[in-house]
């Protein structure tokens, strides 16, 4: 297999046309056609772009030398860290609510936030040392944004509501009904909107 064959093979594996590849590389379709028919070869700059786009080495495109497979046996799966972090966050929220119901104590919020902080740290460890980071990140934020936002959002909303309603502010991990059922309902709608916006922001970060 020569360089022309390798370019054509990579393009077909990617499932794109010569014109689409030309757009990605910044050349004409005719140029790509000439590469694949051995009428010309891409210069080094274009080979670099091709290697980045096809996620192969420049040595593979030029010489057909494939990189030696890395030993991945010792590498961790970032999705396992996502699962563990999610478990900590879920447990943190449940424990905070249970302690609040039983004790009516602000300590419930502190306990929940500590457990959730541990869950987030576990997730970021997986992002640092694990494989499949993008999938793990998407899975984490899809679920955990709803868990992580609830306690801080509840505390903030309850503080604002108690200030406006002129009654004592109580630190608790869930939304307080207060003086208005309508305001309470709107607060949940705002919570959903905030979580959806944060998910879009966090899931798109590199």
């Amino acid at each position: 297999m020569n360089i022309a064959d390798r370019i054509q093979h990579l393009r077909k594996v990617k499932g794109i046309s010569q014109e689409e590849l030309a757009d990605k590389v910044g050349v004409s379709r005719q140029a790509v056609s000439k590469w694949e028919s051995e009428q010309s070869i891409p210069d080094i700059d274009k080979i670099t772009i091709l290697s980045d786009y096809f996620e192969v080495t420049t040595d593979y495109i030029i010489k057909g030398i494939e990189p030696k497979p890395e030993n991945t046996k010792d590498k961790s799966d970032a999705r396992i860290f996502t699962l563990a972090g999610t478990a900590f966050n879920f447990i943190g929220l449940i424990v905070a609510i249970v302690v609040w119901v039983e004790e009516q104590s602000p300590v419930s919020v502190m306990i929940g936030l500590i457990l959730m902080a541990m869950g987030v740290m576990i997730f970021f460890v997986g992002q640092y040392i694990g494989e499949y980071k993008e999938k793990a990140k998407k899975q984490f934020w899809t679920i955990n944004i709803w868990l992580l936002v609830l306690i801080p959002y509840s505390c903030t909303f309850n503080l604002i509501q108690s200030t406006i309603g002129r009654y004592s502010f109580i630190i608790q991990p869930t939304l307080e009904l207060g003086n208005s059922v309508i305001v309470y309902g709107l607060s949940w709608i705002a919570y959903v909107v905030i979580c959806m916006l944060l998910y879009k922001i966090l899931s798109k970060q590199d």
Side-chain angles (χ1 to χ4, degrees):
M1 185 183 288
N2 55 31
I3 186 170
D5 295 330
R6 284 190 289 275
I7 293 174
Q8 185 179 65
H9 171 71
L10 290 168
R11 177 177 63 78
K12 289 183 176 180
V13 169
K14 198 80 169 179
I16 60 172
S17 65
Q18 288 184 343
E19 187 173 357
E20 289 174 315
L21 179 57
D23 288 338
K24 296 293 183 181
V25 180
V27 297
S28 66
R29 189 198 64 78
Q30 289 76 13
V32 174
S33 178
K34 288 181 179 180
W35 294 345
E36 295 185 358
S37 61
E38 299 184 67
Q39 296 180 44
S40 66
I41 60 172
D43 59 35
I44 190 63
D45 291 336
K46 301 306 179 186
I47 289 175
T48 301
I49 296 172
L50 287 168
S51 70
D52 290 338
Y53 178 66
F54 289 124
E55 298 180 341
V56 297
T57 63
T58 55
D59 278 346
Y60 174 74
I61 294 177
I62 297 170
K63 304 176 183 178
I65 300 174
E66 297 190 24
K68 294 181 180 179
E70 295 181 5
N71 183 6
T72 59
K73 292 182 179 179
D74 296 332
K75 289 189 176 181
S76 302
D77 191 330
R79 293 172 294 185
I80 295 175
F81 288 84
T82 286
L83 183 61
T86 300
F88 265 85
N89 292 336
F90 181 75
I91 292 170
L93 180 60
I94 296 301
V95 169
I97 293 173
V98 170
V99 171
W100 168 253
V101 171
E102 294 292 330
E103 306 291 338
Q104 300 287 300
S105 170
V107 173
S108 62
V109 170
M110 183 178 67
I111 293 173
L113 291 178
I114 289 174
L115 288 172
M116 288 181 172
M118 293 173 64
V120 173
M121 284 191 293
I122 290 171
F123 162 69
F124 279 113
V125 168
Q127 287 290 292
Y128 182 72
I129 68 173
E131 294 184 303
Y132 309 108
K133 296 178 183 179
E134 287 302 316
K135 290 182 179 179
K137 181 174 71 171
K138 185 175 181 180
Q139 291 170 355
F140 183 83
W141 293 123
T142 298
I143 300 172
N144 287 272
I145 195 67
W146 305 93
L147 303 175
L148 296 170
V149 169
L150 184 57
I151 292 179
Y153 176 77
S154 296
C155 291
T156 303
F157 170 78
N158 293 340
L159 174 61
I160 295 172
Q161 184 175 229
S162 64
T163 301
I164 295 174
R166 296 183 179 180
Y167 57 83
S168 299
F169 167 60
I170 301 176
I171 299 176
Q172 65 182 73
T174 56
L175 296 171
E176 186 178 8
L177 178 57
N179 297 326
S180 173
V181 175
I182 295 176
V183 172
Y184 182 75
L186 291 174
S187 69
W188 280 108
I189 294 174
Y191 163 74
V192 171
V193 172
I194 290 172
C195 287
M196 291 176 68
L197 289 174
L198 286 174
Y199 171 73
K200 286 185 178 180
I201 294 170
L202 293 170
S203 62
K204 289 181 179 178
Q205 288 184 347
D206 295 328

